[in-house]
Amino acid sequence: MAETDVSPEVFPTATSEVSEGMRRLWGQRATRRRGPKPTISVQSIVESALELADSEGLESVSMARVADALDCTAMALYRHIDSKDELLTLLADRVAADTPNLPTDLGWRDGLRAWTRVQIEGALAHPWLLQLPLVSTPLGPHRARWIDQGFGTMRDLDLTTAEKGQILNLLSLFVLSEVRVQVELRDLTINPFAELAQVIHHLADTADLPNLFAAFADPSPGDADDIFGVELILDGVDALLHRPST
Amino acid sequence: MAETDVSPEVFPTATSEVSEGMRRLWGQRATRRRGPKPTISVQSIVESALELADSEGLESVSMARVADALDCTAMALYRHIDSKDELLTLLADRVAADTPNLPTDLGWRDGLRAWTRVQIEGALAHPWLLQLPLVSTPLGPHRARWIDQGFGTMRDLDLTTAEKGQILNLLSLFVLSEVRVQVELRDLTINPFAELAQVIHHLADTADLPNLFAAFADPSPGDADDIFGVELILDGVDALLHRPST
DNA sequence: ATTAAACTGTTTATGTGATTAACAATTACG
DNA sequence: CGTAATTGTTAATCACATAAACAGTTTAAT
């Protein structure tokens, strides 16, 4: 397991104030005063890290490598960010910056579908995202914009904010599992289903996993496309809309 | 970001055979022949790692610390496992071992709901799970048993294996995000919603995030409980069942 | 039984990667 | 103009994963 270090303690929560790291994450440009003009910036750091991750994988994103790409020493980075953790957090937000704006004239269903599809494509372009513990990464401005658009697609729905938030959350999570499968199919030449079946046959006991064996004995394993999961969630939303309000 | 190193390359996929690591993951006891009787085992290693993670957090799970707990040197561990990555994979599977068996007489809806709830409770007991990239971790026997039970709850449903798999996957992922929120509420005394709202107010521009601002201006933010997400997915399943088959 | 292969754990060493501390150069504010 | 703030550098730690070589133990084959 490589590059899995994303702890939640990156941003100690100040009660009244916003932490320094958060301010950086949200692109607050420090009003510089004295000292030499910086040759690198938070942005250039993140950009280099992004290129590195895309070209050589997340495990190649080390402070030293990033610094090399910027023609400076690793320690120079620390003048702009607090830790590598922060860099990864910034990186996680950065990938959301490239997502295009969504047309605003779609209905909620088409809108959410499109919203999800764009996310899937974005994640496919940066598969190393799966190696980050996205569930516990603070929200940055780019993802915020994206979530904003998600809320936008549901603006006319009679749901609470929390409900809408959960729906977006669910769809985002679905993206993760969907992309994982697609990446495996694309990169590894191996079918995860087939692999699982093989492992089960070689190592497991039929009696221990009766339902699993039955499932894989199913002649039509079928390959659920990415439509399936989205539509299921959307159907759930639909049901919610028509549910008698309590 | 700490302890996030779980790369997918842990188990190089042998085409016809099952990899050594996989065999260990599935508890194949090596038929020992010569040499001294081992004082430690894969199981004892995993068990120590589990205790460490539970008591001191995932970042404390180093080869050295685990070895200390077992009264041996770090290198001794390598006689039983290939790498730390493998240890983390084993650990991820290990936590699923404690989940109780589910009653088999529940309908699919109650069954899946119970299945999800047990998972949530399990994850709450080992919150460091969130720091592992579970999406890209190979399946072990304990999680397999659990998935088996998941399939069991749907045994009477007229869905393809792939569809059932996606449903379980979705519910599992949902568990992660749900647990994250619950852990934050439990440990940090801070409400993630409130935190988000604060960050937005301090750092973001109303014009940039109109929908998000509107959402948070909603007088009734309401707190969506963990019921909501599950029920939404279940409603989606329900809709799928009644959908005219193509 | 004897030998040698296979196996376990140890010691030693290496390399990497994050991060701290001390330093030198630069620039703007007073 | 000088001083304090700011930037990048160099040198030094420290933790950690892991490789290599070694010594003792057990058993299978002779």
Side-chain angles (χ1 to χ4, degrees):
Chain A
M1 317 215 173
E3 289 303 334
T4 314
D5 296 82
V6 183
S7 52
E9 314 88 16
V10 185
F11 297 108
T13 321
T15 14
S16 61
E17 277 303 329
V18 179
S19 80
E20 199 56 33
M22 265 299 179
R23 205 169 289 125
R24 263 191 302 271
L25 177 56
W26 283 80
Q28 223 78 35
R29 58 183 63 264
T31 51
R32 193 175 322 97
R33 312 212 157 211
R34 321 182 186 187
K37 304 177 181 173
T39 62
I40 63 180
S41 65
V42 176
Q43 286 185 20
S44 65
I45 293 174
V46 176
E47 220 59 35
S48 294
L50 179 64
E51 282 173 31
L52 256 172
D54 279 339
S55 59
E56 301 191 40
L58 195 57
E59 67 278 3
S60 299
V61 178
S62 69
M63 299 304 261
R65 294 291 309 273
V66 172
D68 273 353
L70 291 167
D71 265 322
C72 65
T73 66
M75 289 317 296
L77 306 184
Y78 287 93
R79 293 291 176 204
H80 303 268
I81 59 177
D82 275 348
S83 65
K84 186 185 177 181
D85 271 15
E86 184 175 332
L87 175 55
L88 292 181
T89 299
L90 291 165
L91 196 54
D93 189 63
R94 170 61 182 80
V95 297
D98 292 332
T99 54
N101 280 336
L102 229 51
T104 57
D105 54 346
L106 302 171
W108 69 266
R109 187 152 188 146
D110 288 340
L112 283 181
R113 187 166 22 231
W115 187 80
T116 307
R117 176 156 306 281
V118 169
Q119 245 181 321
I120 289 181
E121 270 148 28
L124 279 174
H126 309 289
W128 43 265
L129 268 180
L130 297 182
Q131 284 161 250
L132 293 178
L134 294 177
V135 249
S136 50
T137 301
L139 182 72
H142 297 118
R143 277 194 71 216
R145 180 185 62 89
W146 187 241
I147 291 179
D148 181 78
Q149 298 202 21
F151 273 103
T153 65
M154 294 186 284
R155 86 185 75 79
D156 296 331
L157 298 190
D158 185 25
L159 298 174
T160 69
T161 294
E163 285 170 335
K164 292 177 182 174
Q166 286 240 25
I167 290 167
L168 295 180
N169 208 338
L170 270 180
L171 286 171
S172 294
L173 288 178
F174 164 74
V175 167
L176 290 185
S177 73
E178 180 57 32
V179 166
R180 169 179 154 265
V181 173
Q182 289 198 23
V183 166
E184 283 182 354
L185 285 174
R186 180 184 68 179
D187 292 352
L188 303 186
T189 328
I190 58 134
N191 185 322
F193 259 97
E195 185 201 35
L196 180 59
Q198 191 197 34
V199 165
I200 287 180
H201 278 137
H202 277 238
L203 301 172
D205 189 343
T206 321
D208 290 340
L209 307 170
N211 303 298
L212 214 47
F213 270 88
F216 280 92
D218 185 335
S220 65
D223 52 349
D225 42 324
D226 54 358
I227 309 292
F228 171 80
V230 189
E231 295 307 325
L232 188 143
I233 297 175
L234 295 181
D235 281 344
V237 175
D238 195 54
L240 179 65
L241 292 175
H242 296 101
R243 192 184 299 166
S245 61
T246 48
Chain B
M1 316 216 171
E3 289 302 334
T4 314
D5 295 82
V6 182
S7 52
E9 314 90 15
V10 185
F11 298 107
T13 321
T15 14
S16 61
E17 278 302 329
V18 178
S19 78
E20 198 57 32
M22 264 298 178
R23 206 169 287 127
R24 265 191 300 272
L25 176 58
W26 282 80
Q28 222 79 34
R29 59 182 63 264
T31 50
R32 195 175 325 97
R33 313 215 155 211
R34 320 182 187 189
K37 303 177 182 173
T39 63
I40 62 179
S41 65
V42 176
Q43 287 185 18
S44 65
I45 293 173
V46 176
E47 221 58 34
S48 295
L50 178 64
E51 282 173 32
L52 257 171
D54 279 340
S55 59
E56 301 191 41
L58 194 57
E59 67 279 2
S60 299
V61 178
S62 70
M63 298 304 260
R65 294 293 308 274
V66 172
D68 273 352
L70 291 168
D71 264 323
C72 65
T73 66
M75 290 315 295
L77 306 184
Y78 287 94
R79 292 291 175 202
H80 302 268
I81 59 176
D82 275 349
S83 65
K84 186 185 178 182
D85 270 15
E86 184 176 333
L87 175 55
L88 293 182
T89 299
L90 290 165
L91 196 55
D93 189 63
R94 170 60 182 79
V95 297
D98 293 332
T99 53
N101 280 336
L102 229 51
T104 57
D105 55 346
L106 303 172
W108 68 266
R109 187 152 188 148
D110 287 341
L112 283 181
R113 184 161 32 226
W115 188 81
T116 307
R117 176 156 306 281
V118 169
Q119 246 181 322
I120 290 180
E121 270 148 29
L124 279 174
H126 310 288
W128 42 264
L129 269 180
L130 298 182
Q131 284 160 252
L132 293 177
L134 294 178
V135 248
S136 50
T137 301
L139 182 71
H142 298 118
R143 276 195 72 217
R145 181 184 62 88
W146 187 241
I147 290 179
D148 180 78
Q149 298 202 22
F151 272 104
T153 66
M154 294 187 283
R155 86 184 76 80
D156 295 331
L157 298 191
D158 185 25
L159 299 175
T160 69
T161 295
E163 285 171 334
K164 292 177 182 175
Q166 285 236 26
I167 290 167
L168 295 180
N169 210 333
L170 198 50
L171 285 171
S172 294
L173 283 178
F174 166 74
V175 167
L176 292 185
S177 76
E178 180 57 32
V179 166
R180 170 180 153 262
V181 173
Q182 289 198 22
V183 167
E184 283 181 354
L185 285 173
R186 180 183 69 179
D187 294 352
L188 303 186
T189 330
I190 58 131
N191 185 322
F193 258 97
E195 185 201 35
L196 180 58
Q198 192 198 35
V199 165
I200 288 179
H201 278 137
H202 278 237
L203 300 173
D205 189 343
T206 321
D208 290 340
L209 306 170
N211 303 298
L212 214 46
F213 270 88
F216 280 91
D218 184 335
S220 65
D223 53 347
D225 43 321
D226 54 359
I227 308 293
F228 174 81
V230 187
E231 294 306 325
L232 189 142
I233 297 176
L234 296 181
D235 281 344
V237 175
D238 195 54
L240 179 64
L241 292 176
H242 296 102
R243 190 183 302 164
S245 62
T246 47

